[in-house]
Amino acid sequence: MSAGRDMYRQQILDHYKNPRNYGELDDPTFSHVGENPLCGDEIRVEVKLDEDDETIEYAAFTGDGCAISQASASMLTDELRGLTLKELAALDREDVTDLLGVDVSPMRVKCAVLSEKVAQDGAAIYEGEKEVDVTKTE
Amino acid sequence: MSTQASEPLDVERIRRDFPILGREVGAGDRLIYLDNAATSQTPDPVIDAVSEYYRGYNSNVHRGIHHLSEEASIAYEEAHDRLAEFVGASGGREELVFTKNTTEALNLVAHAWGLRELGPGDNVVMTEMEHHSSLVTWQQIAKRTGAEVRYVRVDGDGHLDTDHARELVDEDTEMVSTVHVSNVLGTMTPVAELAGLAHEHGSHIFVDGAQAVPHRPVDVEELGVDFYAFSGHKMCGPTGIGCLYGRADLLAAMEPFMYGGGMVRKVTFEETTWNDVPWKFEAGTPLIAEGIALAEAADYLEDVGLDSIDRHEHELTEYAMGRLEEFDDLEIYGPPRGEERTGVVSFNLENVHAHDLASIMNDHAVAIRPGDHCTQPLHDSMGITASARASFYLYNTKAEVDALIEAIDDARQLFA
C-alpha cells in the first residue's frame, strides 16, 4: 500500500516544521545521543527528572534528519512529560507509530523509533543498567 | 564525439523487452524506474538464458564427462571470452575472471595482489569519489600492509583535480584505483590520463567501471588500464555475477584469492599447484547460469548499440537537469549541464530530507534512491548526509522525467 504521501499527514509536517521541546536543557538529569545510519538522522534527547528521581519533569531534543525522525522526537518529548522511567522503558514501537498516527513504511520504522530508543537507552545508562556509547537503529 | 553518429533508440520497442516495466506499484500506477545506477532491469533474452540453462542443461562445469556438463562448460567458458570481447580485452578468458560483483573483483586484486605487493612506504592513490567498494577495501588492505592511502580531490563541480593527482602519484605509488564514472556525480574520470600517470611512475591502475560499462562503449586496451571491474546486474544481467579484467601477465603472476575445488591443477597432502587463469580465481562451483546470462546481456546491449544508449542517456540527463533547474530551491551535484557526464543526477531539495523526498516519490510510483550511495566520505566533503539520486537507462523516457519533476513538485508543496 502507498505509505508515501499518507505518511506525511499534517500533524507530522507540523511537528517537523515547528518542533516542540527543541533545544538543550540547562540542567538535564541525563542526556543521550543516537543515530540512524539509514537516513543519517541524529537525535540527542535530554531528560529532567523530578525530585523523586523517577518521574520525568520534562524532556527536550536536538538533532537533524528526516521528517519522520524529527517529528517523532517532537511528539515523544511531549509525551514523556509525567511518565516514570519504568513507563518509558515499557514503550514499544507501536506506541511511537500511534503517536505519529500513520502507517510508517517498514523501511522507515527505524527513523520513527530512533528518539524512543535514545530516551530508553539514556534512562538505562542513568540507572546503571546498560552501557551504550551511541544508540543506533538499524 | 562518436555518439553523434549513433542511431536514436526505439525506446518503445526496447521497453517491450523488459516485462517489469509493465507492472504497477502502490495504488496502481505504472512503475517509473529511475534507480538504474543501483541495479538495472532485466530484458527477456537474459531471463530466457537463465531459464533455458535450468530447463535444458543445468549441470556442474569443467569436470563432467556427460552431455549436460559439456554443454554447460562450453557455454560458461565461452561467456568469459564474450565479456572479454565486450570490454576490448584481446586475451579472451585469460584476461577475464568472473566474480560476484565489482566489490569482489576489487577484493580479489586487493588481497591477491595488494597483500603481497604493498608495504610500509608504499601508497595507494584513490579519488574522493570512490564507492565504498574500493575505498574501504584499499583502506583496510593498506592498514594491514602499512601502506598509505591518498585521495585525489574532487572540486565543487564534481571534477577530478588532475593537478592534485600529479602531486599525489609518486615513485612509491603502487596502485591508482579510480572510478570510471562517479555513481553520485555522474563525473567521467580521465582514465587514460590517470593510467598514463600511474605507468610513468611504475604504478598500476585499477578502474571501477560499474557505472561505465553498462552505459557506453569501454575498451580497456584503449584506456591502457591494468585492471577493470564491473557488475552484471547494472548492465541488464543477473545479480551475483561481475567481471574482473586483468592484463594477462598480471593475472598469471598473481596468487589465488580463494582456495578450493576447480582452481587447482595438482593436489597432494602437502602441496597444491594452480589451474590457469581465469579458473585459478574461480574457486568452487561458479555462477554458471549467471555467467551465461551475462554474456546474453552483453549481446543485448551491443545489439541495441552502446553509442546509442550513451546518446539517449545524455539527452535524457540534459533534459532532466534543465527541468530540475526550474526549481530554485533544488541543488544539483556534479558537473553542470552541457559538460560530459552520465545519466546519474543527484540533488537535494531545500528543507526536504532525501529520504522523505524518496518516500513521496514512491507514492507517485517513481523509484529513485536516497542516501549516501556508498560514498559517505564524498557526502561528508560536500557537507551533506544524503542526496536523492535519479539514474537513467536505455528504457527511460522524457515522460518519465516529467513524472519525476511532478513528484518533486508535490514534495515541495507538501513541505512548503
Side-chain angles (χ1 to χ4, degrees):
Chain A
M1 290 307 292
S2 67
R5 215 172 198 283
D6 289 349
M7 209 159 76
Y8 298 89
R9 292 239 179 92
Q10 213 47 49
Q11 187 192 209
I12 290 179
L13 290 169
D14 176 45
H15 274 268
Y16 177 57
K17 292 173 195 166
N18 311 294
R20 326 294 198 260
N21 315 307
Y22 192 90
E24 289 175 13
L25 299 180
D26 293 334
D27 54 348
T29 313
F30 62 83
S31 165
H32 185 57
V33 68
E35 296 169 356
N36 165 28
L38 173 74
C39 295
D41 305 325
E42 282 184 11
I43 299 251
R44 172 176 291 278
V45 175
E46 300 194 321
V47 169
K48 171 68 176 166
L49 294 181
D50 270 341
E51 283 168 7
D52 66 1
D53 202 34
E54 172 64 26
T55 311
I56 296 171
E57 191 179 345
Y58 44 81
F61 81 101
T62 51
D64 61 313
C66 69
I68 304 298
S69 71
Q70 303 302 305
S72 78
S74 172
M75 291 176 191
L76 180 81
T77 44
D78 260 354
E79 193 69 16
L80 288 182
R81 199 169 300 156
L83 288 194
T84 64
L85 293 185
K86 209 165 273 167
E87 287 166 330
L88 166 60
L91 292 179
D92 62 16
R93 171 188 297 192
E94 278 68 38
D95 291 315
V96 174
T97 48
D98 284 353
L99 275 180
L100 289 167
V102 296
D103 285 335
V104 179
S105 67
M107 290 296 292
R108 304 295 300 280
V109 166
K110 53 192 92 163
C111 312
V113 300
L114 176 62
S115 53
E116 181 191 61
K117 282 200 66 181
V118 171
Q120 287 173 334
D121 279 356
I125 295 163
Y126 174 66
E127 295 191 303
E129 291 166 359
K130 205 170 179 181
E131 281 183 35
V132 194
D133 187 15
V134 175
T135 295
K136 305 215 175 190
T137 53
E138 291 200 72
Chain B
M1 246 165 64
S2 59
T3 52
Q4 296 306 311
S6 57
E7 289 292 311
L9 295 186
D10 183 350
V11 177
E12 282 316 306
R13 192 185 61 76
I14 287 169
R15 289 182 70 86
R16 289 199 287 274
D17 292 334
F18 291 82
I20 206 169
L21 297 178
R23 76 160 279 185
E24 294 175 345
V25 291
D29 297 311
R30 178 71 61 85
L31 169 71
I32 294 169
Y33 188 78
L34 304 178
D35 192 19
N36 295 288
T39 206
S40 58
Q41 295 304 342
T42 319
D44 276 328
V46 174
I47 299 170
D48 292 347
V50 174
S51 173
E52 281 161 17
Y53 168 78
Y54 284 112
R55 287 171 177 277
Y57 57 104
N58 173 35
S59 58
N60 215 326
V61 290
H62 302 323
R63 351 183 212 285
I65 296 299
H66 60 78
H67 196 84
L68 295 190
S69 180
E70 186 179 297
E71 282 184 20
S73 296
I74 290 171
Y76 179 71
E77 289 170 13
E78 284 181 348
H80 290 71
D81 299 330
R82 179 68 190 91
L83 270 302
E85 182 199 3
F86 187 67
V87 293
S90 56
R93 65 187 70 173
E94 285 173 32
E95 296 189 314
L96 200 291
V97 181
F98 279 167
T99 60
K100 190 170 73 180
N101 46 33
T102 304
T103 299
E104 191 181 79
L106 269 149
N107 273 274
L108 192 162
V109 173
H111 285 83
W113 178 90
L115 284 179
R116 284 165 66 95
E117 301 294 330
L118 296 174
D122 294 333
N123 68 71
V124 174
V125 175
M126 290 184 268
T127 76
E128 288 181 341
M129 54 187 163
E130 291 313 296
H131 188 281
H132 292 165
S133 61
S134 72
L135 196 153
V136 176
T137 304
W138 290 116
Q139 178 195 70
Q140 294 302 313
I141 293 293
K143 278 187 200 295
R144 281 165 67 173
T145 56
E148 179 197 347
V149 285
R150 300 174 175 180
Y151 299 97
V152 181
R153 272 193 303 263
V154 174
D155 73 17
D157 276 341
H159 303 116
L160 191 70
D161 182 345
T162 48
D163 288 338
H164 192 220
R166 291 187 184 283
E167 285 170 35
L168 293 186
V169 177
D170 60 23
E171 300 314 309
D172 295 322
T173 303
E174 293 296 323
M175 180 63 83
V176 174
S177 187
T178 179
V179 283
H180 194 166
V181 170
S182 162
N183 69 320
V184 176
L185 304 170
T187 309
M188 301 280 306
T189 54
V191 166
E193 188 183 339
L194 293 172
L197 179 64
H199 293 148
E200 274 167 34
H201 291 84
S203 174
H204 298 85
I205 183 163
F206 188 114
V207 178
D208 163 1
Q211 300 291 343
V213 168
H215 305 284
R216 50 179 54 221
V218 167
D219 187 314
V220 291
E221 291 179 3
E222 223 168 75
L223 291 169
V225 298
D226 301 306
F227 298 103
Y228 194 104
F230 52 101
S231 295
H233 70 97
K234 295 188 200 290
M235 53 176 283
C236 298
T239 54
I241 185 93
C243 296
L244 169 68
Y245 158 79
R247 241 175 50 208
D249 59 315
L250 291 171
L251 290 180
M254 271 160 58
E255 286 293 302
F257 171 42
M258 292 203 284
Y259 302 109
M263 49 81 67
V264 299
R265 172 147 297 138
K266 171 81 180 154
V267 183
T268 67
F269 283 121
E270 292 77 27
E271 295 296 333
T272 303
T273 56
W274 313 131
N275 202 338
D276 295 331
V277 178
W279 325 124
K280 177 171 83 173
F281 296 109
E282 296 184 9
T285 296
L287 294 142
I288 305 165
E290 291 81 354
I292 293 167
L294 182 57
E296 192 65 39
D299 286 348
Y300 182 83
L301 291 176
E302 271 186 6
D303 283 350
V304 173
L306 281 145
D307 277 322
S308 300
I309 293 171
D310 180 24
R311 176 177 161 188
H312 175 72
E313 287 177 20
H314 181 75
E315 285 172 5
L316 273 185
T317 306
E318 289 281 297
Y319 178 68
M321 289 179 76
R323 295 233 42 202
L324 289 168
E325 284 166 10
E326 292 168 14
F327 300 121
D328 53 13
D329 51 357
L330 187 145
E331 185 178 6
I332 304 174
Y333 306 107
R337 188 155 56 103
E339 287 191 22
E340 187 176 28
R341 65 183 342 276
T342 66
V344 172
V345 186
S346 296
F347 53 91
N348 265 314
L349 192 56
E350 212 174 286
N351 301 324
V352 185
H353 192 283
H355 283 77
D356 294 325
L357 186 59
S359 285
I360 290 159
M361 309 235 337
N362 182 52
D363 215 38
H364 290 255
V366 177
I368 61 152
R369 191 173 188 85
D372 58 44
H373 318 299
C374 296
T375 60
Q376 285 177 19
L378 175 67
H379 277 70
D380 286 346
S381 67
M382 294 196 293
I384 53 176
T385 53
S387 58
R389 180 183 72 186
S391 49
F392 310 115
Y393 208 8
L394 70 167
Y395 37 67
N396 290 124
T397 65
K398 282 188 178 169
E400 290 181 312
V401 173
D402 292 336
L404 167 81
I405 300 297
E406 266 176 47
I408 292 173
D409 201 35
D410 185 39
R412 289 174 77 228
Q413 288 173 24
L414 201 59
F415 277 79

Coordinates of all heavy atoms in Angstrom, one line a residue, chain B residues 273-318:
Chain B
T273 N 49.2 -27.1 -6.8 CA 49.5 -26.1 -7.9 C 48.2 -25.6 -8.5 O 47.2 -26.3 -8.4 CB 50.4 -26.8 -9.0 OG1 49.7 -27.9 -9.5 CG2 51.7 -27.2 -8.4
W274 N 48.3 -24.5 -9.2 CA 47.1 -23.8 -9.6 C 46.7 -24.0 -11.0 O 47.6 -24.2 -11.9 CB 47.2 -22.3 -9.3 CG 47.8 -21.9 -8.0 CD1 48.8 -21.0 -7.8 CD2 47.3 -22.3 -6.7 NE1 49.0 -20.9 -6.4 CE2 48.2 -21.7 -5.8 CE3 46.4 -23.2 -6.3 CZ2 48.0 -21.9 -4.4 CZ3 46.2 -23.5 -4.9 CH2 47.0 -22.8 -4.0
N275 N 45.4 -24.0 -11.3 CA 44.9 -24.0 -12.6 C 45.2 -22.7 -13.4 O 45.8 -21.8 -12.8 CB 43.4 -24.2 -12.5 CG 42.7 -24.8 -13.7 OD1 43.3 -24.7 -14.8 ND2 41.6 -25.3 -13.6
D276 N 44.9 -22.7 -14.7 CA 45.2 -21.5 -15.5 C 44.2 -20.4 -15.1 O 43.1 -20.7 -14.6 CB 45.0 -21.8 -16.9 CG 46.0 -22.8 -17.4 OD1 47.1 -22.8 -16.9 OD2 45.7 -23.6 -18.4
V277 N 44.5 -19.2 -15.5 CA 43.6 -18.1 -15.4 C 42.5 -18.3 -16.5 O 42.8 -18.7 -17.6 CB 44.3 -16.7 -15.7 CG1 43.3 -15.6 -15.7 CG2 45.5 -16.5 -14.7
P278 N 41.2 -18.1 -16.2 CA 40.7 -17.4 -15.0 C 40.3 -18.4 -13.9 O 40.0 -18.0 -12.8 CB 39.4 -16.8 -15.6 CG 38.9 -17.8 -16.7 CD 40.2 -18.3 -17.3
W279 N 40.4 -19.7 -14.2 CA 39.9 -20.7 -13.2 C 40.6 -20.7 -11.9 O 40.0 -21.0 -10.9 CB 39.9 -22.1 -13.8 CG 39.6 -22.1 -15.3 CD1 40.4 -22.6 -16.3 CD2 38.5 -21.6 -16.0 NE1 39.9 -22.4 -17.5 CE2 38.7 -21.8 -17.4 CE3 37.4 -20.9 -15.6 CZ2 37.8 -21.3 -18.4 CZ3 36.5 -20.4 -16.6 CH2 36.7 -20.7 -17.9
K280 N 41.9 -20.2 -12.0 CA 42.6 -20.1 -10.7 C 41.9 -19.2 -9.7 O 42.1 -19.3 -8.5 CB 44.0 -19.5 -11.1 CG 44.9 -19.2 -10.0 CD 46.3 -18.8 -10.5 CE 46.4 -17.4 -10.9 NZ 47.9 -17.0 -11.2
F281 N 41.1 -18.2 -10.3 CA 40.5 -17.3 -9.4 C 39.0 -17.6 -9.2 O 38.2 -16.7 -8.7 CB 40.6 -15.8 -10.0 CG 42.0 -15.4 -10.1 CD1 42.7 -15.3 -11.3 CD2 42.7 -15.1 -8.9 CE1 44.0 -14.9 -11.3 CE2 44.1 -14.7 -8.9 CZ 44.7 -14.5 -10.2
E282 N 38.6 -18.7 -9.7 CA 37.1 -19.1 -9.5 C 37.0 -20.4 -8.7 O 36.6 -21.4 -9.3 CB 36.5 -19.2 -10.9 CG 36.5 -17.8 -11.7 CD 35.7 -17.9 -13.0 OE1 35.1 -18.9 -13.3 OE2 35.9 -16.9 -13.8
A283 N 37.2 -20.3 -7.4 CA 37.2 -21.5 -6.6 C 35.8 -21.9 -6.4 O 34.8 -21.1 -6.2 CB 37.8 -21.2 -5.2
G284 N 35.6 -23.2 -6.3 CA 34.2 -23.8 -6.1 C 33.4 -23.7 -7.3 O 33.7 -23.2 -8.4
T285 N 32.1 -24.3 -7.2 CA 31.2 -24.2 -8.3 C 30.9 -22.8 -8.6 O 30.4 -22.0 -7.7 CB 29.9 -25.0 -8.0 OG1 30.3 -26.4 -7.8 CG2 28.9 -24.9 -9.1
P286 N 31.1 -22.3 -9.8 CA 30.9 -20.9 -10.1 C 29.5 -20.5 -10.4 O 28.6 -21.4 -10.3 CB 31.8 -20.7 -11.3 CG 31.8 -22.0 -12.0 CD 31.6 -23.0 -11.0
L287 N 29.2 -19.3 -10.7 CA 27.9 -18.8 -11.1 C 27.6 -19.1 -12.5 O 27.8 -18.3 -13.4 CB 27.8 -17.3 -10.8 CG 28.0 -17.0 -9.3 CD1 28.8 -15.8 -9.0 CD2 26.6 -16.9 -8.6
I288 N 27.2 -20.3 -12.8 CA 27.1 -20.8 -14.1 C 26.0 -20.1 -14.9 O 26.2 -19.5 -16.0 CB 26.9 -22.3 -14.1 CG1 28.0 -23.0 -13.3 CG2 26.9 -22.9 -15.6 CD1 27.8 -24.4 -13.0
A289 N 24.8 -20.2 -14.4 CA 23.6 -19.6 -15.1 C 23.8 -18.1 -15.3 O 23.6 -17.5 -16.3 CB 22.3 -19.9 -14.4
E290 N 24.3 -17.5 -14.2 CA 24.5 -16.1 -14.2 C 25.6 -15.7 -15.2 O 25.4 -14.6 -15.9 CB 24.9 -15.6 -12.8 CG 23.8 -15.7 -11.8 CD 23.7 -17.1 -11.2 OE1 24.4 -18.1 -11.7 OE2 22.9 -17.3 -10.3
G291 N 26.7 -16.4 -15.3 CA 27.7 -16.1 -16.3 C 27.2 -16.2 -17.7 O 27.5 -15.3 -18.5
I292 N 26.5 -17.3 -18.0 CA 26.0 -17.5 -19.3 C 25.0 -16.4 -19.7 O 25.0 -15.8 -20.8 CB 25.3 -18.9 -19.4 CG1 26.4 -20.0 -19.3 CG2 24.6 -19.0 -20.7 CD1 25.9 -21.4 -19.0
A293 N 24.1 -16.0 -18.7 CA 23.1 -15.0 -19.0 C 23.8 -13.6 -19.1 O 23.3 -12.7 -19.8 CB 22.1 -14.9 -17.8
L294 N 24.9 -13.4 -18.4 CA 25.6 -12.1 -18.6 C 26.1 -11.9 -20.0 O 26.1 -10.8 -20.6 CB 26.8 -12.0 -17.6 CG 27.5 -10.7 -17.6 CD1 26.6 -9.5 -17.3 CD2 28.6 -10.7 -16.5
A295 N 26.6 -13.0 -20.6 CA 27.0 -12.9 -22.0 C 25.9 -12.6 -22.9 O 26.0 -11.8 -23.9 CB 27.6 -14.3 -22.4
E296 N 24.7 -13.1 -22.5 CA 23.5 -12.7 -23.3 C 23.2 -11.2 -23.1 O 22.7 -10.5 -24.0 CB 22.3 -13.5 -22.7 CG 21.0 -13.5 -23.6 CD 21.2 -14.1 -24.9 OE1 21.9 -15.1 -25.1 OE2 20.7 -13.5 -25.9
A297 N 23.4 -10.7 -21.9 CA 23.2 -9.2 -21.7 C 24.1 -8.4 -22.5 O 23.8 -7.4 -23.0 CB 23.4 -8.9 -20.2
A298 N 25.4 -8.9 -22.6 CA 26.4 -8.2 -23.5 C 25.9 -8.2 -24.9 O 26.0 -7.1 -25.6 CB 27.7 -8.8 -23.4
D299 N 25.4 -9.3 -25.4 CA 24.8 -9.3 -26.8 C 23.7 -8.4 -26.9 O 23.6 -7.6 -27.9 CB 24.3 -10.8 -27.1 CG 25.4 -11.8 -27.3 OD1 26.5 -11.4 -27.4 OD2 25.1 -13.0 -27.3
Y300 N 22.8 -8.3 -25.9 CA 21.6 -7.5 -26.0 C 22.1 -6.0 -26.1 O 21.6 -5.3 -26.9 CB 20.7 -7.7 -24.7 CG 19.5 -6.8 -24.7 CD1 18.4 -7.2 -25.4 CD2 19.5 -5.6 -24.1 CE1 17.2 -6.5 -25.5 CE2 18.3 -4.8 -24.2 CZ 17.2 -5.2 -24.9 OH 16.1 -4.4 -24.9
L301 N 23.0 -5.6 -25.2 CA 23.4 -4.2 -25.2 C 24.1 -3.8 -26.5 O 23.9 -2.7 -27.1 CB 24.4 -3.9 -24.0 CG 23.7 -4.0 -22.7 CD1 24.7 -3.8 -21.6 CD2 22.6 -2.9 -22.5
E302 N 24.9 -4.8 -27.1 CA 25.6 -4.5 -28.4 C 24.6 -4.4 -29.5 O 24.7 -3.6 -30.4 CB 26.7 -5.5 -28.6 CG 28.0 -5.0 -28.0 CD 29.2 -5.8 -28.3 OE1 29.1 -6.8 -29.1 OE2 30.2 -5.5 -27.8
D303 N 23.5 -5.3 -29.4 CA 22.5 -5.2 -30.5 C 21.8 -3.9 -30.5 O 21.5 -3.3 -31.5 CB 21.5 -6.3 -30.3 CG 22.0 -7.7 -30.7 OD1 23.1 -7.7 -31.3 OD2 21.4 -8.7 -30.4
V304 N 21.5 -3.4 -29.3 CA 20.9 -2.1 -29.2 C 21.9 -1.0 -29.6 O 21.5 0.0 -30.3 CB 20.4 -1.8 -27.7 CG1 19.9 -0.4 -27.6 CG2 19.3 -2.8 -27.4
G305 N 23.1 -1.1 -29.2 CA 24.2 -0.2 -29.6 C 24.6 0.7 -28.4 O 23.8 1.5 -27.9
L306 N 25.8 0.5 -27.9 CA 26.2 1.3 -26.7 C 26.4 2.8 -27.0 O 26.1 3.6 -26.1 CB 27.5 0.7 -26.1 CG 27.1 -0.6 -25.3 CD1 28.2 -1.6 -25.4 CD2 26.8 -0.2 -23.9
D307 N 26.7 3.1 -28.2 CA 26.8 4.5 -28.6 C 25.4 5.1 -28.5 O 25.3 6.3 -28.1 CB 27.4 4.7 -30.0 CG 28.9 4.6 -30.0 OD1 29.5 5.2 -29.1 OD2 29.4 4.1 -31.0
S308 N 24.4 4.4 -29.0 CA 23.1 4.9 -29.0 C 22.5 5.0 -27.5 O 21.8 6.0 -27.2 CB 22.1 4.0 -29.8 OG 22.6 3.9 -31.1
I309 N 22.9 4.1 -26.7 CA 22.5 4.1 -25.3 C 23.1 5.4 -24.6 O 22.4 6.1 -23.9 CB 22.9 2.8 -24.6 CG1 22.1 1.6 -25.1 CG2 22.7 3.0 -23.0 CD1 22.6 0.3 -24.6
D310 N 24.4 5.5 -24.9 CA 25.1 6.7 -24.3 C 24.4 8.0 -24.8 O 24.1 8.9 -23.9 CB 26.5 6.7 -24.8 CG 27.4 7.8 -24.3 OD1 27.0 8.4 -23.2 OD2 28.4 8.1 -24.9
R311 N 24.1 8.1 -26.0 CA 23.5 9.3 -26.5 C 22.1 9.5 -25.9 O 21.7 10.6 -25.6 CB 23.4 9.2 -28.1 CG 22.7 10.4 -28.7 CD 22.7 10.2 -30.2 NE 21.7 11.1 -30.8 CZ 21.4 11.0 -32.1 NH1 22.0 10.2 -32.9 NH2 20.4 11.8 -32.6
H312 N 21.3 8.4 -25.8 CA 20.0 8.5 -25.3 C 20.0 9.0 -23.8 O 19.3 9.9 -23.4 CB 19.3 7.1 -25.3 CG 18.0 7.1 -24.7 ND1 16.8 7.7 -25.2 CD2 17.6 6.5 -23.5 CE1 15.8 7.4 -24.4 NE2 16.2 6.7 -23.4
E313 N 20.9 8.4 -23.1 CA 21.1 8.8 -21.6 C 21.5 10.3 -21.5 O 21.1 11.0 -20.6 CB 22.1 7.9 -20.9 CG 21.5 6.5 -20.7 CD 22.5 5.6 -20.0 OE1 23.5 6.1 -19.4 OE2 22.4 4.4 -20.1
H314 N 22.4 10.7 -22.4 CA 22.9 12.1 -22.4 C 21.7 13.0 -22.6 O 21.6 14.0 -21.9 CB 24.0 12.2 -23.5 CG 24.6 13.6 -23.5 ND1 25.5 14.0 -22.6 CD2 24.4 14.7 -24.3 CE1 25.8 15.3 -22.8 NE2 25.1 15.7 -23.9
E315 N 20.9 12.7 -23.6 CA 19.8 13.6 -23.9 C 18.8 13.6 -22.7 O 18.3 14.7 -22.4 CB 19.0 13.1 -25.2 CG 19.8 13.4 -26.5 CD 19.2 12.7 -27.7 OE1 18.1 12.1 -27.6 OE2 19.8 12.8 -28.8
L316 N 18.5 12.5 -22.1 CA 17.6 12.4 -21.0 C 18.2 13.2 -19.8 O 17.4 14.0 -19.1 CB 17.4 11.0 -20.5 CG 16.3 10.1 -21.2 CD1 16.2 8.8 -20.4 CD2 15.0 10.8 -21.1
T317 N 19.5 13.1 -19.6 CA 20.1 13.8 -18.5 C 20.1 15.3 -18.7 O 19.8 16.1 -17.8 CB 21.5 13.3 -18.3 OG1 21.5 11.9 -18.2 CG2 22.2 13.9 -17.1
E318 N 20.4 15.7 -19.9 CA 20.3 17.2 -20.2 C 18.9 17.7 -20.0 O 18.7 18.8 -19.4 CB 20.7 17.4 -21.7 CG 22.1 17.2 -22.0 CD 23.0 18.3 -21.6 OE1 22.8 19.4 -22.1 OE2 23.8 18.1 -20.7

